[in-house]
Amino acid sequence: MIRYRRLFLLPVDVLLVAASHVLAYLLRFEGSIPEPQVAVFWTGLLVSVLVKPVCFLAMGFYRRLWRYASIPDLVHIVKAVTLATAASSLVTVFATHFQGYSRSVFLLDWLLVNALLMGRSLVWRVLQEHRYTRRRNRGPRALLVGAGMAGRMLFQEIRHNPDLSYSVVGFLDDDRAKAGANISGRPVLGTIRQLRRVAREQSATHVVIAIPSAPATLIREVVHACREAGLEVRTLPPITDMLDPARLAAQLREVNLEDLLGRDPVRLETDRIAAYLVGRRVLVTGAGGSIGSELCRQLARFQPAELILFDVAETPLHHIQLELERDFPKQTVRPVLADVRDTEQVQRVFRESRPQVVFHAAAYKHVPMMEYHPLEAVKTNVIGTRNLARAAEEVGVERFVMISTDKAVNPTNVMGASKRAAEIFVQAFSEKSRTDFITVRFGNVLGSNGSVVPLFQEQIARGGPVTVTHRDVTRYFMTIPEASQLVLQAGSMGQGGEIFLLNMGEPVRIVELAEELIRLSGLVPYEDIPIAFTGLRPGEKLFEELLIDGEGIRPTAHKKILVAAARPLPLDEAERHLEELWSCVAKGDPDLAVHKLEEMVPEYRSTNRRAGGTVQVHPAAVALPSRQRADGAVASDDAGAAGAHAGRSGRHTK
C-alpha cells in the first residue's frame, strides 16, 4: 500500500521525466530541434509523461522511503527507468509509424532520467539528514565500539530514531585500517584499549558494543574498562538471536552473563534436522522445564505435524502451550498432563498419540535433593526412562533422544548414578530395538530452573552473602538455546546406541561466576556483597567430567558434538538390574536402592549412609559441611540442577 504523503513525489517525477525528454533532444540536436523532428518530439513528450509514471507506480517506486536511499534503491531506480524508457519508446515509435525517431535519443533520455531521479533521491536524503543533524547532538554522549557494518547501521538507526537519545561522538575499533577514518560524519577515535582515555577526552558517559559476534574476551575487556571509568555500557545481541538486523537500536540491551562467558554461535545442519522432524509427530517429555520448553520452541521452527507436550506439572505445561500457540499459530500443539513413572499412563499416551520422534528431557536433576530422596531419583530417572523406552518400542517410534548429564560420569551422587543407570539401560535396549535410541550428555545450562544463576541473583538482591560451596569448584556451562539446538543436531546424527557429548568449552570457576554477577549488578565483590564459602555438600565434586574411563571419544561431522565409544551391557542383565531397583523402591528402602545403584554403576560409590530416614554425612565430608539458607533451601553452586523440584513431587523437567 502506498502512503499518500509519498505521492507528492509523483508530480516532481513527471516534471523530471519531461525535462529529461527535452534535454535529450537538445543535446542530440545541439540546442535546436529540426523541423522534421518537432512532431516526433511532442509525441514522445506526451507519451513519456503518461507512460513512465505509470511504470514507476507499477515498480513500487512510491512504497520506498527515499530518505533512507541506499545502493539497492539506486539499483531499483535503474531497473524502473529501464522498463519505463523501453515502454515509452515502443509506444512512441508505434505512434509515429517508425518515422523520424532518433535512436540516440533513447540512450540520452535513459541516462538523463536516471541522473535526475537519483539526484532527486540524493537531495531528499540530504534534506532529511540535515533535519536529523539538528537533533543528533541531544542526549548522553556515547562511543560505539565497532566500526563495522553493525556499527554503521546502529549509528544510522540512532540518528533516525526519535526515541533514542544518544549523541554518538565517535567509534572505537582495533582495525588499524580504520584508524582516523570518518564514518557517516563521525570519526574512529582510537582502539578499544584506549576506551578510557577517549571517553574522558570526549566527555562520553555511555558505551555501546556494536559487534554482534564479539567474543567474550572483548566484551569482558570493554565492560571492565567501563566499570573502572564509571561508564554505562550496552550491547547488541548475538547475530543468531537478532529479531531484525535492520533495526539494531531497538535491540540494545544491558550486558549479561552469557555475553561475558561467551559461546560461539551454533551452526546447525538445518536440512539434516528437518529430514527427521518436518511433518512428524514429535513428543517431548518434561516439556514445561527449562530444556524441555526450549526444545519445544526450537522444534516448532521445523514444522512437525504435531508437537506433543508431556509433563506432570500443570502450570509450566500450560505456559509453554500458550507460548507456542501464540508464537507458532499454525503449529498443532497438544499438551498431555502425565507422569513418566506411571507405566499404564505412559503406554496409553504413546498408543493414542503414536509419536515418531521422542525427546526425553523429564528428570529429577537437583543433586542435594536427590541425596535426600534416592527412591524418587530411581523412580523418575531410571524407571521412568524404562517406561518411555518400552512404550516407544511398542508403537514403533523411529528416534528416541534421551538427555543426560555430565554428572552421570564417574558419579558421586544419587542423581548422577540414576542418570548413568538410565544411560546403561537405553544403550542395552537399543541393541535389540527397531527404535534408534540416542543419548546426549552435556553439563550445566545458564539460567535454568534451580540453577546457580537465579540463586546468586536472589542473594545479591537480598544484599548477600553469595554462597559458594568451594573456592576451587568449577563447572561447564552452555546456554539453554545452544544446548537445545545441539540436542536436535545430535538427534539427526545418531544411528542407535550412541552417547553424544556436547563440546562444553572451557570450565568456569563458580566463584568467578559469582563475582561477575555481582559486578553486573553494579556492585563490588567482597565489598558491597560478600562471598561466603560453605563447603562441598554430599555428592558434589570439585570438577565435572564428560567421559567415563575406557569410553574413548571420536569426532563427528559437527565440531561441537563428539561421540563416546559404546560399552553396552547385555539387555537381560540391564533388565535384571532395573527389576531389582524397582524391588528396592517397592520396599521403600533407600539404602538398598543406593547399594543397587552402586552395583549397576560400578564407578559410583555413595558417600552417604542413611539411618532412620535421615542422611548421615560420610566422615570424609564432615570437614566441609553443607550450609542451609534461612528459608531451608541449600545454597547451590550446582548449575546443572536444571529443575528445582524439591517439594514438588513429580515435576520432571531439566
Side-chain angles (χ1 to χ4, degrees):
M1 181 179 178
I2 302 173
R3 292 196 177 248
Y4 291 110
R5 62 190 178 90
R6 293 182 202 152
L7 284 176
F8 83 93
L9 289 173
L10 183 58
V12 175
D13 290 348
V14 170
L15 290 175
L16 294 178
V17 164
S20 69
H21 184 80
V22 173
L23 285 172
Y25 266 88
L26 292 177
L27 288 172
R28 168 65 181 82
F29 296 107
E30 299 179 354
S32 178
I33 303 173
E35 186 64 29
Q37 293 289 330
V38 172
V40 178
F41 165 78
W42 287 111
T43 302
L45 179 60
L46 180 62
V47 170
S48 291
V49 298
L50 292 176
V51 172
K52 288 181 180 177
V54 172
C55 292
F56 295 160
L57 283 166
M59 290 286 287
F61 232 50
Y62 306 104
R63 293 190 181 94
R64 290 176 173 260
L65 289 172
W66 292 105
R67 68 186 179 205
Y68 299 132
S70 58
I71 297 300
D73 297 299
L74 299 183
V75 171
H76 187 74
I77 288 176
V78 173
K79 291 178 180 178
V81 169
T82 301
L83 173 65
T85 302
S88 61
S89 299
L90 283 173
V91 173
T92 301
V93 296
F94 276 105
T96 58
H97 305 291
F98 300 90
Q99 298 297 318
Y101 195 84
S102 173
R103 286 173 295 180
S104 58
V105 171
F106 283 110
L107 179 60
L108 288 170
D109 184 54
W110 179 82
L111 289 171
L112 288 167
V113 174
N114 272 308
L116 291 173
L117 290 181
M118 289 181 185
R120 180 264 288 167
S121 301
L122 179 61
V123 169
W124 183 245
R125 172 77 182 265
V126 169
L127 290 173
Q128 294 297 316
E129 287 294 317
H130 177 69
R131 179 178 145 211
Y132 294 126
T133 300
R134 290 181 300 174
R135 191 184 68 220
R136 70 187 180 193
N137 291 326
R138 301 173 187 171
R141 296 169 67 82
L143 287 168
L144 298 189
V145 175
M149 181 62 72
R152 293 195 292 272
M153 291 173 65
L154 177 60
F155 178 47
Q156 292 300 326
E157 178 76 8
I158 289 172
R159 293 177 69 180
H160 296 146
N161 192 332
D163 296 327
L164 292 167
S165 57
Y166 291 120
S167 173
V168 177
V169 297
F171 294 84
L172 297 175
D173 201 293
D174 286 339
D175 186 350
R176 296 185 180 277
K178 295 175 183 174
N182 191 289
I183 299 173
S184 300
R186 286 292 177 262
V188 178
L189 297 168
T191 65
I192 295 171
R193 291 185 181 276
Q194 297 170 323
L195 186 152
R196 277 174 286 180
R197 177 182 62 78
V198 173
R200 186 172 59 252
E201 292 174 354
Q202 298 295 324
S203 301
T205 58
H206 288 67
V207 172
V208 178
I209 304 172
I211 311 175
S213 58
T217 51
L218 185 146
I219 294 178
R220 284 198 295 267
E221 179 183 347
V222 173
V223 170
H224 291 162
C226 289
R227 284 177 185 144
E228 292 177 4
L231 302 171
E232 294 282 339
V233 61
R234 295 289 185 274
T235 188
L236 291 171
I239 194 70
T240 52
D241 294 345
M242 283 187 184
L243 298 174
D244 181 5
R247 297 189 60 80
L248 297 180
Q251 300 176 72
L252 285 178
R253 57 167 172 77
E254 293 184 354
V255 176
N256 59 33
L257 187 62
E258 287 86 342
D259 298 320
L260 297 179
L261 292 178
R263 298 289 298 174
D264 294 334
V266 175
R267 305 202 180 276
L268 298 179
E269 298 172 313
T270 53
D271 291 343
R272 188 169 186 169
I273 296 172
Y276 83 103
L277 293 177
V278 173
R280 304 292 176 86
R281 294 181 301 279
V282 182
L283 184 147
V284 180
T285 71
S290 304
I291 290 294
S293 60
E294 182 62 28
L295 272 174
C296 292
R297 296 181 192 103
Q298 301 288 343
L299 284 164
R301 301 177 189 278
F302 288 93
Q303 300 176 332
E306 185 178 30
L307 191 51
I308 304 147
L309 316 180
F310 185 118
D311 204 303
V312 74
E314 174 193 17
T315 300
L317 181 62
H318 181 59
H319 286 167
I320 187 61
Q321 177 196 358
L322 293 180
E323 179 185 334
L324 293 173
E325 289 175 346
R326 180 195 67 217
D327 296 343
F328 303 93
K330 295 182 180 179
Q331 176 63 58
T332 301
V333 176
R334 182 153 68 94
V336 175
L337 196 62
D339 191 337
V340 297
R341 298 173 297 186
D342 189 325
T343 304
E344 293 182 1
Q345 192 177 43
V346 167
Q347 291 174 344
R348 183 170 63 254
V349 169
F350 273 65
R351 287 171 189 152
E352 291 174 356
S353 59
R354 306 199 72 81
Q356 295 163 288
V357 181
V358 172
F359 289 90
H360 176 30
Y364 277 139
K365 296 290 173 59
H366 203 285
V367 168
M369 191 57 60
M370 292 305 99
E371 291 300 296
Y372 285 93
H373 300 285
L375 296 181
E376 298 304 312
V378 170
K379 283 193 287 185
T380 298
N381 296 356
V382 186
I383 304 304
T385 299
R386 182 179 69 172
N387 291 341
L388 292 165
R390 286 177 171 176
E393 165 67 17
E394 179 185 340
V395 301
V397 168
E398 298 169 11
R399 200 165 290 243
F400 184 108
V401 182
M402 185 185 84
I403 294 174
S404 189
T405 170
D406 56 358
K407 291 167 182 60
V409 180
N410 299 321
T412 58
N413 51 66
V414 170
M415 191 281 283
S418 66
K419 291 298 288 182
R420 177 57 188 154
E423 286 184 359
I424 291 170
F425 174 77
V426 164
Q427 277 193 296
F429 197 70
S430 180
E431 290 290 302
K432 297 182 179 180
S433 175
R434 53 182 173 168
T435 298
D436 293 333
F437 285 90
I438 300 151
T439 299
V440 182
R441 185 191 290 164
F442 56 90
N444 310 302
V445 286
L446 286 170
S448 61
N449 296 328
S451 72
V452 70
V453 174
L455 174 61
F456 284 171
Q457 290 171 332
E458 176 189 332
Q459 292 174 331
I460 292 168
R462 292 205 313 260
V466 171
T467 53
V468 178
T469 58
H470 194 283
R471 188 178 296 275
D472 296 323
V473 71
T474 64
R475 294 291 183 265
Y476 291 98
F477 287 96
M478 61 170 42
T479 66
I480 296 174
E482 180 185 11
S484 301
Q485 290 166 4
L486 287 175
V487 166
L488 298 188
Q489 181 71 60
S492 73
M493 303 164 71
Q495 301 299 314
E498 301 98 337
I499 295 180
F500 287 103
L501 315 176
L502 303 189
N503 184 344
M504 300 294 296
E506 295 298 319
V508 176
R509 291 180 68 214
I510 298 299
V511 65
E512 293 176 359
L513 193 73
E515 291 168 353
E516 290 293 355
L517 277 171
I518 293 170
R519 293 189 187 102
L520 283 175
S521 302
L523 303 169
V524 180
Y526 306 106
E527 294 182 14
D528 299 324
I529 300 290
I531 297 178
F533 297 96
T534 61
L536 290 176
R537 295 161 299 162
E540 285 189 326
K541 300 179 183 179
L542 278 178
F543 311 100
E544 297 291 1
E545 307 155 271
L546 286 172
L547 203 64
I548 296 171
D549 290 341
E551 276 188 330
I553 59 171
R554 62 178 186 273
T556 68
H558 197 286
K559 69 175 184 178
K560 286 199 170 189
I561 300 176
L562 306 170
V563 61
R567 297 190 309 171
L569 201 67
L571 180 58
D572 56 352
E573 189 174 343
E575 290 276 16
R576 176 180 60 81
H577 282 303
L578 261 63
E579 288 298 331
E580 292 172 1
L581 266 175
W582 180 245
S583 176
C584 299
V585 170
K587 293 176 182 177
D589 190 332
D591 274 338
L592 197 58
V594 169
H595 289 312
K596 185 60 201 175
L597 280 174
E598 288 178 335
E599 181 184 340
M600 186 176 181
V601 183
E603 58 271 20
Y604 169 51
R605 285 293 178 269
S606 171
T607 58
N608 297 335
R609 294 294 179 265
R610 295 165 179 80
T614 61
V615 178
Q616 305 294 328
V617 181
H618 191 273
V622 170
L624 296 171
S626 175
R627 171 179 170 178
Q628 288 189 299
R629 301 194 320 231
D631 60 4
V634 178
S636 172
D637 59 32
D638 182 3
H645 308 308
R648 281 204 314 215
S649 178
R651 170 72 192 277
H652 320 308
T653 52
K654 178 158 178 97

